[in-house]
Amino acid sequence: AQRVTQPEKLLSVFKGAPVELKCNYSYSGSPELFWYVQYSRQRLQLLLRHISRESIKGFTADLNKGETSFHLKKPFAQEEDSAMYYCALSGFSGQNFVFGPGTRLSVLP
Amino acid sequence: DAGVIQSPRHEVTEMGQEVTLRCKPISGHDYLFWYRQTMMRGLELLIYFNNNVPIDDSGMPEDRFSAKMPNASFSTLKIQPSEPRDSAVYFCASSSRGDGANVLTFGAGSRLTVL
């Protein structure tokens, strides 16, 4: 079965501190992993996807197939990073998108 | 492209009334998804379509909920009769698996309040 877990509901860090949002998944096959971000009262938008191997807004995420994880990291958090972050999984062969429960990141001044 | 367009943006109705939410996906996208977002349950997949055909509706809460996609550019989510526990933000999203795109694009959401 497809499943995405995000163990932290809320994560608070101070501005300038490193941040790591955890994501683990279960999937029988080779999934595609994503991070979506939702700023206050806005639509969800794609932050990054594992196959792109990009750094967006200073965030990176590495797919670890051994640990079935896709943690999101940023070395120096900014106040504007405060938002809800969702980890998501999709199968390459046409399955649906499955989202984790989300982690609310709060960056304190 | 204007992106995924949802209407209405806000809907306030009384218990027992019929509610219809509308979605126009991005042109050329062949997958359409309906999600419901609440504080308690997060983001839940209700149903998704591929080429206008419903593929998985196992997330639809109960028979009061129904969704249709009569053509590639329009989908509706209907709740009849509505109940206060249906209050949530309903998101429509679309994607295309062509050219390895496979990126889900969301609409702005329809915020439903059932009194």
Side-chain angles (χ1 to χ4, degrees):
Chain A
Q2 305 171 66
R3 191 177 178 199
V4 177
T5 57
Q6 294 177 249
E8 304 128 334
K9 278 192 172 181
L10 174 65
L11 184 63
S12 295
V13 300
F14 286 102
K15 176 183 172 182
V19 62
E20 182 180 46
L21 303 173
K22 291 184 168 55
C23 170
N24 287 90
Y25 66 91
S26 61
Y27 185 78
S28 55
S30 295
E32 187 166 2
L33 274 297
F34 305 81
W35 277 99
Y36 279 79
V37 61
Q38 186 180 28
Y39 300 103
S40 180
R41 290 186 166 261
Q42 294 187 24
R43 72 186 70 193
L44 281 86
Q45 54 187 283
L46 177 68
L47 181 62
L48 52 80
R49 54 196 297 206
H50 89 269
I51 64 172
S52 300
R53 296 183 174 274
E54 294 174 308
S55 173
I56 306 294
K57 298 184 180 182
F59 285 97
T60 59
D62 291 319
L63 180 62
N64 185 323
K65 292 185 179 179
E67 296 182 358
T68 59
S69 68
F70 189 56
H71 303 327
L72 183 68
K73 300 177 184 179
K74 185 170 182 177
F76 307 103
Q78 303 299 313
E79 289 182 69
E80 56 265 30
D81 295 329
S82 295
M84 194 75 176
Y85 291 81
Y86 291 94
C87 184
L89 171 159
S90 175
F92 280 103
S93 58
Q95 287 92 343
N96 66 51
F97 280 79
V98 175
F99 283 80
T103 297
R104 182 169 297 283
L105 175 64
S106 178
V107 181
L108 309 171
Chain B
D1 199 317
V4 177
I5 300 173
Q6 292 187 245
S7 64
R9 290 294 310 278
H10 302 274
E11 174 92 7
V12 180
T13 190
E14 292 186 346
M15 183 173 63
Q17 297 298 306
E18 178 179 292
V19 173
T20 299
L21 308 178
R22 298 171 178 80
C23 175
K24 181 181 187 307
I26 290 175
S27 177
H29 279 189
D30 52 354
Y31 283 82
L32 184 139
F33 301 78
W34 282 100
Y35 288 89
R36 177 172 67 177
Q37 185 182 45
T38 61
M39 289 288 289
M40 292 296 293
R41 301 172 70 94
L43 198 62
E44 301 173 276
L45 175 66
L46 300 177
I47 184 172
Y48 80 97
F49 296 83
N50 176 218
N51 291 322
N52 313 337
V53 176
I55 302 301
D56 184 356
D57 65 353
S58 59
M60 295 286 262
E62 47 198 273
D63 292 346
R64 297 186 297 107
F65 285 69
S66 62
K68 294 181 180 179
M69 192 165 185
N71 57 62
S73 58
F74 184 65
S75 177
T76 59
L77 178 67
K78 187 174 292 187
I79 308 172
Q80 167 63 21
S82 59
E83 296 182 3
R85 60 188 167 129
D86 301 331
S87 298
V89 180
Y90 291 81
F91 285 103
C92 176
S94 69
S95 73
S96 170
R97 302 298 169 107
D99 299 326
N102 198 27
V103 172
L104 201 57
T105 302
F106 281 82
S110 294
R111 183 175 295 273
L112 173 65
T113 302
V114 183
L115 304 174

